[in-house]
Amino acid sequence: MTKPRLALIGTGGTIAGAASAASVSTDYKPASLSLAAVVDTVPELRQRYNIDVSQPMQLASYDVRPDHWLDLHAAVMQAVHNPHVVGIVITHGTDTLEETATFLHLSVDSDKPIVVVGAMRPATAYSADGPANLLDACSVAACPTARGRGTLVVMNGRIHSGLWVGKRHVSSVEAFDSPLAGAVGEVADQAVQWFRAAGRAPTVAWQTPSTWKTPAAWPRVDIAVAYAGVDETAMRAFVAAGAQGIVHAGLGNANTPTAYRAFIQSLPAQGVLVARCARFITGSVTRASVYADAQHGILTAGPLPPHKVRIIMLLGLAHGMDGAAIQDWIDRILLTA
Ligand code: SIN
């Protein structure tokens, strides 16, 4: 029987990390081994699949910037356009894994399974979780029923939507979950079990399909975190630095100190897009009348956390969307949860 062909794209991270001893699991250097070397630690991979390995970058994911996403997007699209490739697996550091997965989920127009995978323990550790995670990720990427689900994340036997997943623990192998939305499936011993039907979010090109435009330069979009006693200082600094968008990571239901509210409401009229999100907690932020979001052109994104809303704003602004178009896109994305 012909083996399915998978494209494996390496970017670095702990899954390719090395420590000084097998007993060490937190003091190590990420991105030390090539993806080809990581693949060689799981001999079953080449027995089960034809594998194309590429490595467009090799870094810890805390060093990933939006420009790296463009290189990754190009590598993914090459695999998407290869008719022999049935699925794509990206190895990635876990610190910003959810941001890269969100970017791909909202920018790659393809039904082919795209799976982002990492590890919480370096490849050299007794407790290395990378080999099992990589095998699981390949099982999902090769699974015909994974098609049409957008970008997925596989960690510790769970399959998550790239849009909803987040890292919740600094070192445990059970570090990822999808608050409110829940995992979309599980994988064990190559058996994939789904918990719900496929739902792919509209990408940034939803209004004009297949018109992904590689941004010549990213707009600046910052996140201003609220806390007791916060004032306008950080937001003013972001505006002075040229921010075209600011995510307000607010208190509770995206609240803001009363004295700060008028300043935030004044920003859209000055050409700075603002989104109201909740800092560090889950729950759907409502377009509460006290903020008059619609009247002031302020965006809200239900349960999406600030760093994911920032990616939506980056993509939307880079594609020439105004605030109303980005809000419309967000509302359509939320329908696919
Ligand atoms: C990184 O994000 O590259 C370091 C942490 C990790 O991969 O777990």
Side-chain angles (χ1 to χ4, degrees), residues 48-86:
R48 291 179 177 275
Y49 311 108
N50 287 310
I51 289 181
D52 300 336
V53 173
S54 64
Q55 180 109 38
M57 61 198 80
Q58 173 74 320
L59 72 174
S61 78
Y62 42 73
D63 286 328
V64 165
R65 299 187 314 272
D67 282 346
H68 292 115
W69 296 337
L70 300 182
D71 295 338
L72 187 55
H73 189 275
V76 168
M77 290 315 292
Q78 204 176 342
V80 161
H81 290 133
N82 181 340
H84 303 293
V85 169
V86 300

Side-chain angles (χ1 to χ4, degrees), residues 13-14 28 30 60-62 93-96 119-120 167:
T14 296
Y28 60 90
S61 78
Y62 42 73
T94 61
D95 286 357
T96 61
M120 293 301 293
K167 184 175 180 177

Side-chain angles (χ1 to χ4, degrees), residues 6-11 52 54-57 68-83 85-92 100-101 103-117 150-152 200 203 212:
L6 298 178
L8 268 56
I9 303 174
T11 72
D52 300 336
S54 64
Q55 180 109 38
M57 61 198 80
H68 292 115
W69 296 337
L70 300 182
D71 295 338
L72 187 55
H73 189 275
V76 168
M77 290 315 292
Q78 204 176 342
V80 161
H81 290 133
N82 181 340
V85 169
V86 300
I88 299 154
V89 174
I90 299 152
T91 56
H92 200 284
T100 295
F103 166 78
L104 293 173
H105 194 77
L106 297 177
S107 67
V108 176
D109 244 325
S110 172
D111 275 343
K112 278 191 187 176
I114 299 169
V115 182
V116 189
V117 64
T151 299
L152 300 166
R200 189 154 75 82
T203 68
W212 160 258

Side-chain angles (χ1 to χ4, degrees), residues 103-182:
F103 166 78
L104 293 173
H105 194 77
L106 297 177
S107 67
V108 176
D109 244 325
S110 172
D111 275 343
K112 278 191 187 176
I114 299 169
V115 182
V116 189
V117 64
M120 293 301 293
R121 306 284 163 80
T124 50
Y126 290 128
S127 58
D129 51 332
N133 285 347
L134 184 58
L135 186 58
D136 284 348
C138 290
S139 301
V140 175
C143 178
T145 54
R147 288 181 62 84
R149 294 176 183 270
T151 299
L152 300 166
V153 169
V154 170
M155 289 290 291
N156 206 31
R158 302 283 163 89
I159 310 168
H160 297 273
S161 158
L163 180 65
W164 298 101
V165 72
K167 184 175 180 177
R168 308 278 163 233
H169 197 284
V170 298
S171 58
S172 168
V173 295
E174 179 61 351
F176 283 77
D177 73 6
S178 302
L180 300 179

